Amino acid sequence: MFRTAFFLVSICCCNFYWCHGCLEEERILLLQIKDSINYPGGSSLDKDWVGKNCCQWHGVECKPSSSRVISINLNLTRDERLELWYPNTSLFAAFKELEKLDLARNQIGGWVMPQGLCELKNLRYLRLAFNDLDGRELPPCSTNLTLLEELSLSGNDLGSYSSALTGLCGLRNIRNLNLCSTNLDERAFPLLCLSNLSKLETLSLQDNDLGSYSSALTGICELTALRVLDLSLNKINDHSIPKCWGNLSSLEKLDLSDNKLKSPFNSLTGFCELRHLHHLDVRRNSYVGSIPQCFGNMNYLRILFLSGNQFTGTIPSSIFKNMTNLMIISASHNQFNDSISFSTFANLSELAHIDLSDNVRLEVQTEHPHWVPTFQLESLLLSNCTLNKRGGNGIPTFISTQRSLKTLDLSHSFLKGTIPSWLLDNLTVGSLILRGNLLKGPFPQSTRRNNSMLNELDVSDNKIFGELPSNMDTLFPNLIVFNMSKNELQGTIPVSISKLQTLQMLDLSQNNLSGEMPHGLISRNNTSLEYLRLSNNKLHGNILSKFSNMTELVVLLLDNNGFTGTIASNMLSSPSLKILDLSKNNLSGFIPSWLSFLMNLAILHLDGNFFNGPIPSEVCQMQNLHILDLSNNKISGSIPSCLPNISSWMKEISIDVDISVEILYFRMLYSLDGTNYARSINTRVTTILTTKGMILTYEGLPLSLMTIIDLSLNQLTGNIPSQMGHLKTLHSLNLSDNFLSGPIPESFQNLESIESLDLSHNKIVGTIPPQMVQLYKLSAFNVSSNNLSGAIPNEKQFLTFNESSYTANPHLCGPPLQRSCSCNNSSQPRDNKEEKKKKKTTLQSLTVLFFSTCGWLLHIFWDFGVSLPFLPTRTGDGSSLVQWTGALIAAI
Ligand SMILES: *[C@@H]1O[C@H](CO)[C@@H](O)[C@H](O)[C@H]1NC(C)=O
Ligand SMILES: *[C@@H]1O[C@H](CO)[C@@H](O)[C@H](O)[C@H]1NC(C)=O
Ligand SMILES: *[C@@H]1O[C@H](CO)[C@@H](O)[C@H](O)[C@H]1NC(C)=O
Ligand SMILES: *[C@@H]1O[C@H](CO)[C@@H](O)[C@H](O)[C@H]1NC(C)=O
Ligand SMILES: *[C@@H]1O[C@H](CO)[C@@H](O)[C@H](O)[C@H]1NC(C)=O
Ligand SMILES: *[C@@H]1O[C@H](CO)[C@@H](O)[C@H](O)[C@H]1NC(C)=O
Ligand SMILES: *[C@@H]1O[C@H](CO)[C@@H](O)[C@H](O)[C@H]1NC(C)=O
Ligand SMILES: *[C@@H]1O[C@H](CO)[C@@H](O)[C@H](O)[C@H]1NC(C)=O
Ligand SMILES: *[C@@H]1O[C@H](CO)[C@@H](O)[C@H](O)[C@H]1NC(C)=O
């Protein structure tokens, strides 16, 4: 019975023409396409194009009534390793009812039988994005594609052949045209025929070269049906911007971001008539002046992006009166300098994102006049504004009414007073940033059991005192980032911090924390921690021996504490570790040879401890080492000659500090305008170098390329290995204050990147190799207090060094020293007097050098702090650098 029914069904559905759900002739065509797509040499389509019913194949769609193929999607199908593909268009033309064809990302370089494209009479949608078409391959038969509504050619290089795109002029029914990133300028763009594209609604021209030729873009004025116009990332300026906005009155979305526009909108004819705009983006232009009042006409506006310009004045409250749909306002990174009251926004019930950050002179008033918000924000970014100047600089109270808030950034906004406990108790905030204010009082005691939403809590650089809560794990079980650095915290680090299972970044540096490090923090089962900074506290104890399994750890900074003991063997199993700073503690014993197991280590600071014994030759196995600082210890023995095995000192290799990128990414997830964070990725290192006794600031390399060896202030003996001359990418070498003997290796002439070289206070003999004048980057050089002799090289870079570079070498002669090379002995009495004077200058020069070296290192960390946002900010440490300098100068 069952069997009969099945038999009947198969009989009635399987006529010769429509047997398996798709037409046999079209199935064969698809198989031909499959054969061609990875031809020659590639494997055929790895997608599931097997079986009889081709309508069920991946990327294929048929019309149920006719079983004919109506859509073929081959987006990203050709093997990327193959050369260009030249598809035979007849294969596609043979599909009589094809409406949709997507051939994006297939390395198409042109067509076999291009006229085949003209036969696709039913085509409505054609996507050829990200291929290697140059415009000439577009068929000259666009008039035949009468039904085509949507065409994407983005990511092809169409700009090379002028007017190659005139073929597009026949697309009378085109509604959506995407020409992003196609290298177009006005000469290639078919501006003259735009009036033929009268149905065009969406025109995307992002990332081209448009705008260099004044008024060439006026063709856009003909597109009266246009609803979406994207001209972002071009070269449009006040002269080349179209001046006919009145014609485009249907426009709903206008993106002019990343251009060169300058004068305020009122000078743009008709701009104020764009009454139907929903979305206006003018970010990152050069707009000056004030926000035009006529924005108030744009009653439908939902998204308003004004950030990254030079707007001044205020954001006029009148424009928001009728903007009842407004969801996003971003006005960050401008120069607004008046005041704005949040009562302005009170009735904008749709508002979800407000970003006014980085308008340092903008006074933001949230308390007066009294108002009640009708909105529920998701993000509020007021960093670098002046907040509530006339209301005691308090944290805005309306925030307590916000039940959807995810990101709250009030950093650097001159806040005073205490942190109200509702801020931690009542909010759903994921990211709470209060960095760089004057908040004081104890860490807020939470009344609620937990604030399970909080992922990022940054209260660094304030005046919070007292102890951290002992129940951190129950209060903030989902913390990923916790930054309390630069406060006045006391007591011990609560054990509960080590129970935070998701914690990735912990920064408690620059406080008055004491006691030992909680065991669980460093030897725990959960190893999510990637960044741990406890620098500049009063921590003590023998913590290092208790280290264990921190597989994710990338940065460990424990410097400037009172840690004691030796570094036990294999204490640190952290294969990802890139930066390790244990400097300025009371550690002793040998430099452990197992450090070489830390294959990714790029920056190693062990300076300012009591390490003794030799430098283990295993150090040379750390192929990624960029900065090695062992200075100011009791290290003896000779300098290992294998140092040139370290590749990052031989050729330029960048440290990939991906941790910062992760943090940045994390922040961008929540913030509207990632630019201010993204900007810091490529922060350049500021180094301080001494030239002619003056301290110069030099904006140079990104930290990721900085390379330094500092072995100064130790008890090293023996010769300087001549192999060190092979360190071609080394920027700074400091071997001063040791007992090194022998000559300056001639090979030093090859240190082509060297900027600072200090060999002072050793027992070095011989002459200064004259070939060293080739080191054209050398700007700080000191060989004072050695036994050098002979003439000082007197050309090129060496003309910039003064006497203090050479003093206290009894047999050196020639300028800049007073001692002339020819008559060394005749001026004996004067020399004595001079010697005294020189002693004084030596002390001075040493001071300057000491300052410069330390200042330099400090600076590197300071700047590194900028690229890792959880280290203190540039301003913060900049001022402490100044204080530090003051203290140093006072001590002298
Ligand atoms: C193209 O393929 C990529 C990767 O498979 C996919 O992410 C994208 O959404 C596809 N685009 C279209 C328009 O199908
Ligand atoms: C293109 O395909 C058609 C149809 O299959 C075929 O007749 C023609 O010979 C092909 N042309 C080339 C150059 O391969
Ligand atoms: C384009 O359309 C015209 C008129 O309908 C027709 O004569 C011509 O053959 C078509 N061209 C192609 C290549 O199909
Ligand atoms: C514009 O359309 C008209 C009429 O349809 C046509 O004659 C003309 O050739 C088109 N212009 C271009 C540049 O294709
Ligand atoms: C605001 O809307 C009201 C009523 O729709 C209208 O009368 C008024 O002119 C509008 N104001 C502005 C500035 O557009
Ligand atoms: C805030 O201002 C400081 C100092 O002017 C600056 O260094 C920092 O980058 C600014 N932050 C933001 C988010 O704009
Ligand atoms: C915070 O929440 C608690 C309990 O949910 C409530 O009693 C209190 O009024 C809230 N405080 C504020 C300022 O909203
Ligand atoms: C690690 O896990 C073991 C067993 O699950 C447990 O006994 C130990 O206390 C844990 N250690 C830490 C530091 O949590
Ligand atoms: C470290 O942790 C990893 C993963 O959690 C584990 O596979 C490994 O055995 C642990 N190593 C030690 C030395 O505990």
Side-chain angles (χ1 to χ4, degrees):
M1 168 71 187
F2 241 53
R3 208 174 275 173
T4 329
F6 180 70
F7 180 71
L8 284 173
V9 169
S10 6
I11 289 264
C12 84
C13 299
C14 193
N15 56 45
F16 69 101
Y17 178 73
W18 186 83
C19 188
H20 304 286
C22 83
L23 296 181
E24 186 60 14
E25 64 186 72
E26 297 202 334
R27 194 178 75 91
I28 290 166
L29 281 169
L30 286 171
L31 288 174
Q32 284 175 346
I33 292 172
K34 172 178 166 171
D35 283 343
S36 115
I37 196 156
N38 280 323
Y39 180 87
S43 58
S44 72
L45 207 60
D46 61 349
K47 300 231 171 81
D48 47 351
W49 280 22
V50 289
K52 290 285 181 195
N53 187 354
C54 66
C55 294
Q56 288 174 351
W57 290 356
H58 185 95
V60 178
E61 219 181 293
C62 301
K63 196 176 189 174
S65 55
S66 66
S67 290
R68 285 192 171 269
V69 172
I70 52 168
S71 170
I72 301 175
N73 186 350
L74 288 169
N75 168 23
L76 196 63
T77 306
R78 187 169 168 85
D79 189 332
E80 280 172 30
R81 290 162 297 186
L82 295 179
E83 302 279 286
L84 296 182
W85 181 34
Y86 294 88
N88 179 347
T89 58
S90 311
L91 291 177
F92 298 105
F95 294 93
K96 297 280 181 301
E97 294 186 19
L98 195 63
E99 293 176 8
K100 226 175 147 181
L101 179 59
D102 187 342
L103 295 174
R105 298 178 197 270
N106 284 314
Q107 297 116 268
I108 298 176
W111 315 96
V112 170
M113 307 179 70
Q115 64 277 20
L117 283 180
C118 310
E119 290 162 25
L120 293 164
K121 294 203 173 60
N122 289 308
L123 209 60
R124 292 169 190 277
Y125 173 103
L126 177 60
R127 190 159 169 262
L128 298 171
F130 303 100
N131 280 297
D132 281 290
L133 299 168
D134 70 11
R136 289 175 304 172
E137 302 85 354
L138 297 166
C141 59
S142 55
T143 40
N144 289 39
L145 301 178
T146 46
L147 296 181
L148 197 65
E149 291 178 1
E150 205 168 329
L151 173 63
S152 172
L153 292 167
S154 60
N156 287 286
D157 187 358
L158 305 176
S160 328
Y161 295 92
S162 69
S163 70
L165 288 179
T166 46
L168 301 181
C169 296
L171 299 172
R172 271 168 288 142
N173 280 309
I174 194 87
R175 288 174 198 276
N176 185 342
L177 180 58
N178 187 342
L179 297 170
C180 295
S181 308
T182 47
N183 259 327
L184 287 183
D185 61 25
E186 287 83 341
R187 290 166 300 179
F189 187 63
L191 288 153
L192 292 176
C193 72
L194 278 178
S195 57
N196 280 23
L197 311 183
S198 59
K199 294 192 177 158
L200 201 60
E201 291 176 6
T202 300
L203 178 58
S204 305
L205 293 167
Q206 188 192 68
D207 186 21
N208 282 297
D209 281 329
L210 297 167
S212 312
Y213 301 91
S214 88
S215 71
L217 282 172
T218 46
I220 287 175
C221 302
E222 313 285 338
L223 301 171
T224 51
L226 213 53
R227 291 196 293 117
V228 176
L229 177 59
D230 184 351
L231 290 170
S232 60
L233 262 172
N234 275 288
K235 294 178 176 158
I236 300 170
N237 57 34
D238 289 345
H239 298 292
S240 55
I241 189 158
K243 299 190 175 58
C244 53
W245 299 102
N247 294 6
L248 305 181
S249 56
S250 310
L251 213 55
E252 291 172 8
K253 176 174 174 180
L254 176 59
D255 190 345
L256 293 171
S257 60
D258 295 292
N259 276 294
K260 299 175 171 174
L261 295 163
K262 201 168 170 184
S263 60
F265 307 102
N266 353 20
S267 69
L268 299 179
T269 320
F271 194 84
C272 291
E273 286 161 44
L274 295 174
R275 287 167 187 274
H276 291 102
L277 276 189
H278 290 174
H279 181 136
L280 176 60
D281 189 346
V282 297
R283 279 179 291 180
R284 295 178 297 272
N285 277 283
S286 308
Y287 280 117
V288 294
S290 52
I291 301 286
Q293 294 285 343
C294 75
F295 272 33
N297 297 349
M298 299 174 185
N299 293 341
Y300 298 100
L301 217 51
R302 285 205 292 256
I303 296 174
L304 180 57
F305 283 126
L306 303 170
S307 52
N309 283 289
Q310 287 150 39
F311 286 118
T312 50
T314 186
I315 306 168
S317 55
S318 58
I319 67 172
F320 297 106
K321 282 222 174 69
N322 280 4
M323 253 188 225
T324 48
N325 296 316
L326 198 65
M327 289 167 60
I328 300 179
I329 172 151
S330 170
S332 62
H333 308 295
N334 275 294
Q335 287 162 20
F336 291 114
N337 52 4
D338 206 325
S339 64
I340 182 167
S341 166
F342 261 56
S343 58
T344 298
F345 302 131
N347 294 329
L348 306 179
S349 61
E350 302 289 313
L351 210 52
H353 302 276
I354 300 180
D355 182 0
L356 305 180
S357 44
D358 207 14
N359 286 291
V360 182
R361 288 185 296 149
L362 180 66
E363 268 185 63
V364 178
Q365 181 54 258
T366 63
E367 306 306 301
H368 305 289
H370 181 72
W371 64 290
V372 179
T374 57
F375 51 73
Q376 289 292 336
L377 295 181
E378 284 172 34
S379 71
L380 176 61
L381 310 178
L382 299 174
S383 163
N384 280 10
C385 294
T386 305
L387 203 46
N388 288 327
K389 189 177 177 184
R390 275 169 254 181
N393 296 82
I395 290 179
T397 50
F398 84 89
I399 292 173
S400 71
T401 65
Q402 300 297 300
R403 306 281 173 198
S404 309
L405 205 57
K406 297 274 177 296
T407 306
L408 177 58
D409 186 349
L410 305 178
S411 57
H412 302 285
S413 56
F414 304 94
L415 292 173
K416 287 182 190 157
T418 55
I419 301 175
S421 61
W422 57 257
L423 196 59
L424 295 176
D425 281 356
N426 289 47
L427 296 184
T428 53
V429 177
S431 183
L432 174 58
I433 304 177
L434 300 171
R435 184 178 49 228
N437 284 296
L438 295 164
L439 297 166
K440 59 174 192 288
F443 192 87
Q445 292 301 311
S446 179
T447 48
R448 215 159 86 177
R449 245 188 67 79
N450 69 50
N451 182 332
S452 56
M453 304 292 186
L454 204 61
N455 293 142
E456 179 181 13
L457 178 58
D458 184 347
V459 194
S460 61
D461 199 4
N462 277 287
K463 297 184 179 306
I464 306 296
F465 53 75
E467 299 196 10
L468 287 172
S470 60
N471 56 341
M472 288 293 296
D473 55 333
T474 48
L475 286 176
F476 310 112
N478 293 315
L479 267 191
I480 295 175
V481 172
F482 184 44
N483 188 351
M484 286 297 300
S485 72
K486 276 191 105 180
N487 276 291
E488 293 160 12
L489 293 175
Q490 289 172 323
T492 55
I493 299 173
V495 174
S496 54
I497 282 192
S498 55
K499 295 184 185 147
L500 294 170
Q501 294 296 309
T502 51
L503 199 64
Q504 288 178 12
M505 324 272 153
L506 175 62
D507 191 345
L508 300 176
S509 62
Q510 301 192 63
N511 280 290
N512 289 318
L513 294 167
S514 53
E516 298 195 8
M517 225 153 86
H519 294 181
L521 191 58
I522 45 173
S523 58
R524 58 195 210 142
N525 298 334
N526 181 317
T527 55
S528 58
L529 207 59
E530 295 177 22
Y531 178 99
L532 176 59
R533 185 176 190 219
L534 302 174
S535 317
N536 297 78
N537 277 293
K538 295 177 176 145
L539 300 168
H540 61 80
N542 195 4
I543 47 104
L544 291 170
S545 60
K546 288 167 189 131
F547 262 90
S548 73
N549 201 357
M550 303 182 78
T551 47
E552 305 299 316
L553 198 66
V554 180
V555 178
L556 178 60
L557 309 172
L558 302 175
D559 55 294
N560 276 295
N561 276 291
F563 292 126
T564 48
T566 58
I567 310 182
S569 65
N570 290 336
M571 59 140 201
L572 194 56
S573 161
S574 297
S576 317
L577 198 66
K578 291 191 177 154
I579 303 178
L580 175 60
D581 190 346
L582 304 178
S583 64
K584 302 183 192 68
N585 279 292
N586 297 322
L587 299 168
S588 52
F590 285 10
I591 308 269
S593 58
W594 60 261
L595 278 176
S596 61
F597 297 142
L598 302 172
M599 290 305 290
N600 289 307
L601 201 64
I603 299 181
L604 175 61
H605 282 279
L606 298 176
D607 48 295
N609 280 292
F610 299 101
F611 289 115
N612 55 39
I615 299 172
S617 59
E618 285 86 353
V619 162
C620 306
Q621 291 166 22
M622 292 194 271
Q623 288 299 309
N624 289 307
L625 210 52
H626 281 64
I627 298 180
L628 172 64
D629 189 348
L630 303 178
S631 65
N632 203 359
N633 277 291
K634 297 182 182 312
I635 296 168
S636 52
S638 55
I639 300 173
S641 59
C642 61
L643 286 178
N645 289 357
I646 296 183
S647 10
S648 32
W649 292 333
M650 305 273 293
K651 54 178 189 266
E652 228 172 55
I653 301 171
S654 166
I655 311 176
D656 153 32
V657 197
D658 44 352
I659 188 163
S660 61
V661 178
E662 261 174 61
I663 302 170
L664 297 167
Y665 175 66
F666 177 73
R667 289 201 168 185
M668 266 188 281
L669 282 184
Y670 291 106
S671 76
L672 273 184
D673 192 341
T675 49
N676 50 341
Y677 302 116
R679 227 170 20 195
S680 55
I681 291 181
N682 289 318
T683 302
R684 297 189 159 249
V685 180
T686 304
T687 50
I688 294 185
L689 299 170
T690 44
T691 307
K692 296 181 181 164
M694 302 211 337
I695 297 163
L696 296 181
T697 306
Y698 162 85
E699 287 272 345
L701 291 167
L703 171 68
S704 58
L705 289 174
M706 187 44 94
T707 49
I708 299 173
I709 297 177
D710 190 346
L711 305 176
S712 64
L713 286 158
N714 276 298
Q715 296 161 10
L716 295 167
T717 51
N719 289 6
I720 301 172
S722 67
Q723 290 89 336
M724 289 192 88
H726 299 151
L727 303 176
K728 283 199 172 125
T729 54
L730 192 67
H731 289 94
S732 168
L733 176 61
N734 190 346
L735 302 176
S736 66
D737 290 279
N738 279 291
F739 305 116
L740 297 168
S741 49
I744 300 175
E746 265 187 39
S747 61
F748 270 26
Q749 63 179 294
N750 301 320
L751 295 172
E752 49 192 65
S753 305
I754 203 87
E755 291 163 39
S756 168
L757 177 60
D758 190 348
L759 305 174
S760 65
H761 294 266
N762 277 294
K763 297 175 172 171
I764 299 169
V765 296
T767 57
I768 299 172
Q771 301 91 330
M772 282 177 71
V773 297
Q774 299 167 13
L775 301 176
Y776 71 100
K777 288 187 178 167
L778 194 61
S779 54
F781 179 66
N782 195 343
V783 291
S784 63
S785 297
N786 277 296
N787 270 325
L788 292 166
S789 52
I792 294 169
N794 195 17
E795 33 168 350
K796 296 184 181 163
Q797 210 60 12
F798 275 67
L799 291 173
T800 63
F801 308 133
N802 67 14
E803 226 182 315
S804 61
S805 297
Y806 307 105
T807 48
N809 283 287
H811 305 294
L812 268 187
C813 61
L817 293 180
Q818 306 289 324
R819 193 185 307 117
S820 113
C821 286
S822 46
C823 40
N824 249 354
N825 298 329
S826 59
S827 56
Q828 204 61 40
R830 218 181 102 234
D831 240 15
N832 263 342
K833 202 171 152 197
E834 203 139 275
E835 213 59 54
K836 260 189 197 160
K837 198 173 122 211
K838 273 176 204 158
K839 266 203 181 122
K840 209 171 147 209
T841 18
T842 312
L843 184 66
Q844 277 166 0
S845 76
L846 188 69
T847 309
V848 166
L849 197 88
F850 176 62
F851 162 67
S852 71
T853 316
C854 299
W856 185 5
L857 293 177
L858 198 66
H859 242 75
I860 285 162
F861 264 90
W862 162 37
D863 260 67
F864 185 54
V866 177
S867 63
L868 290 173
F870 296 94
L871 290 171
T873 62
R874 188 188 275 259
T875 15
D877 263 29
S879 59
S880 82
L881 177 67
V882 172
Q883 284 164 12
W884 191 87
T885 315
L888 186 82
I889 289 166
I892 294 157

